[in-house]
Structures are given as C-alpha cells and as structure tokens.
Amino acid sequence: MLYKIRFLPFLLLGLGCAPPGVHRGTGAVESLLSERGAPAPPWSALDSANQHAIPVGSLSSDSAVRLALLRSPHVRAVLADVGIASAELWQASRLPNPVLDVLFGAPTAGGSGVSSVGLGFAIVSALKRPMRLRVADAELRSTEQRVADAVLDVVLHVQRGYLDVQHAQQSLDLTRTVALTAQASAGAARAIRDAGNLPEVVVANEEAMAEQSLADVTELEISLGEARAELGRLLGAGVEDTLWTVGDMLADPLQERWTLAQLDSMAVARRLDVESARESAQAAFSALGLADRFRLLPDGSIGAFIENDPDGRFVGGTGSIELPILDAGGPKVARARAVLAKRVAEHDALIVDVHAGVRTALARYEGSRRRAVQLKTLVLPARRRALQESQLQINAMALPVFVLLQAKQAEVDAGHRYLDALRDYWSARAELERATGGTLPVRSEP
C-alpha cells in the first residue's frame, strides 16, 4: 500500500503530460499537401520578422507560389490555427489541478481559533479526460485538413494571379502592334488623300481606328498594373518590391483528357474540405457522447482535510457532487445533438457541392481547351493565309494597301482571342485541380 501511495503522484504527473498527438505538429499538414502535389508552407514563416525578399527578375509560377507561402501574412494567420488546435488538445489532456482550501477563524470573544486545511481533486473532470481527448483530437485533425485546404486555395489564387499578369503583358504587346499598324494605315490614308485619290470619310475612319488603338493600349496598361498589384498582394509585396517580373509566354494547351467519373472519384477521395467536415462531424459525435454520459454527473470532487478547533484535531475525507435537480443536463445534450446534426448536414451539402463543382470545372476546362485548340489550329492559320494573299494582291497592285493593313489587324485580333483562350484554359485547369483536390494525373489524349 505504501508503494502505491508513493507511486500515485508520478501517475498523476504522467496523466497530466501532453499526449503524443500534440507533438505531431505540422507534419500532418505537410503530408496532406505533399500527397496532393502542393508545396508545404515553411513553418518558420509564422515569425513575421522572418521575411524573404522578392528577388529582382523573372519569377516562375512555382517560385511565385513558394514566395506567397513564405511571405503572405494571410498564410501565417491560417497556419497559426494548427498551433491553437494543438494547444487545445494539450489542454484536454491535462488533469485538473488540485484545489487547496485554507480556513482560519480567529476568536472574537475568548476561546480558541479554528483552522482547517483541505486538498480537493475534481474527480469527474478527470473521468471526462479520455472523451475530451477524442473530441480535441478530432478537432485537431479537422483543423489540419482545413489549414492544408486553405494553403491549396492560396496556391490556386497565386497561379491565377500569375496567369493574369502573363495575359496582360502579352495582350499589351499585341495591342501595341495593332496601334502601330493602325497608325501606319492612317498615315497611308492621309498620303493617298493628299494625292487626291481617297475620300475624306475613309481617312476619318482610319484616323479614328488609330486613336482607338492608342486608347486600347492605355486601357491594357491599366489592366497590367492592376494584375501586378493583385499578384504582389498575394506575394505579400511591400512598397519597394517592384522589380520582379513574370514569364512572357502562356504555354499551349496540353494533350490530356479525363472522364467525369475519374475526376469525381478523385475529388471525393482527396478533397481536404470534405475530410475536414468529416472530422468535424466526428468531433461533434464524440462531444455528444461526452455530454450524454455525464449529463447526471456534470461535476464532482474528492479530497481530504485537517481541522483544528477547540475540541481537538480532526482528519478526514471530503466529497461533493452536483445534484441534477434543476438542470439534469438536457440542454447540453440537446445542443450537442443539434451541433452534430448541423455538421453532418454541412458534410452532406459539401459532397453535393463537390460533385457539382467537378462537373462545372470539367465543362469549363474542356470548353476552354477546345476553343484554344480551334483558334490555334484553324483561326490563326486562316488569318495568316489571308494576310499572305493580301500581300500578294498588293504586290500585284490589285488591291489598295488598306486591305493588307486590315488583314494584319485581323490577324492580331485573332492572336488576342487566342491569348484570352490560353488564359482561360490554364485558369480552368488550375480550378479543375482545385476541384479534384490535388495534382491531376497525366493522361494522354487518344
């Protein structure tokens, strides 16, 4: 018996230590992201003083994503949620502290004083510990999945922001080419008019088109500035971070195709928000069990005391429980049951949204890919042929020079539409990866 009494303090200390789950730290988030082909955020970035400068020069899409995870305060804020949930799990693992009660009563009209010392322990709270641990562990898993899902959102937004800057740059370059062509066309029209061979209305139309092209250049310069500002915001750029650039060219569409069934099954299996909702419902289920099991015994403690009074010294034990007379725990159980129903419904609603989101993303991806391929293989070659034929006719003096200039402008306009299609394609592909919860498998088109 003496051995057992001496061992008891060490047993209590052991039960009060953090469970192994607390120390899994950020490994779970890194593993979740790695499984989905996404870079893991550097946890040292939680320190706002640890900043990595945006390098001067060209950034790739991947390096832009890594910089965003390194620098963005929004990423740091969401990463901190893992630490909060880990601390809550640690707190749930702790046994309640003993309570020391000290009483001293001084005599007011003679006689002896009264004193007592008691030590109490919340035994009911200790009995709840295993179930509290299950709740907190499920909440931590849900938080880890939610945080990893938020990181994937950051990756998507950076990819789209990078595409927007690329698109704005190439569109601006093409529009400047159109402006030069329009200026040349207006100059030629004025020269022919001065020679007396062209009506004034034709010259006015050519000059109007030239002025409009200059206004289009200004509009696209504004769009490029806005796109760079948005990407800079995602990168956490400061006022001085202005010397970075992005790659000039949008890549052509890939030769790949998937079925809806393949993508739908991947989404249900890999979507982190679905896993987070499932773990959140599991936490609510465990919380309902805790509330139901202890509804008639919400609180209670045991202890020992030593009391000195005029009649002598007394030593004994104490015990207290809360009598479930006015509140038998019904409201707590009802609330826990409602929370469980809500989280289950949220999970089911999310599954419906996932199926719809995959269908929408696949339709947008296939449509944008088809449009880009048509523009590249049919429209652009046709415009080039028209330009070549116009050049031949001009050389033979069978057509006026304006036809050549108009053919060149039509070719550039087709190039604009192809740029729009490429941006839409790569943006749709990124959204399809997000909808399916990770990197898409390589599937060659037959």
Side-chain angles (χ1 to χ4, degrees), residues 348-395:
D348 295 344
L350 184 57
I351 292 293
V352 173
D353 291 344
V354 166
H355 292 316
V358 170
R359 288 193 295 270
T360 301
L362 180 59
R364 184 178 294 119
Y365 167 80
E366 290 179 339
S368 61
R369 182 182 181 277
R370 187 165 55 250
R371 178 169 176 258
V373 170
Q374 287 173 343
L375 286 166
K376 180 184 179 182
T377 59
L378 299 176
V379 176
L380 287 176
R383 287 299 182 188
R384 292 192 191 101
R385 287 195 302 271
L387 180 62
Q388 291 168 357
E389 290 297 326
S390 298
Q391 182 67 63
L392 292 174
Q393 295 295 324
I394 294 299
N395 293 341

Side-chain angles (χ1 to χ4, degrees), residues 250-272:
L250 287 164
D252 290 332
L254 301 176
Q255 298 293 323
E256 54 187 5
R257 183 165 292 176
W258 309 273
T259 65
L260 176 60
Q262 292 166 338
L263 297 177
D264 199 64
S265 62
M266 280 193 295
V268 173
R270 301 192 308 180
R271 283 280 292 258
L272 288 169

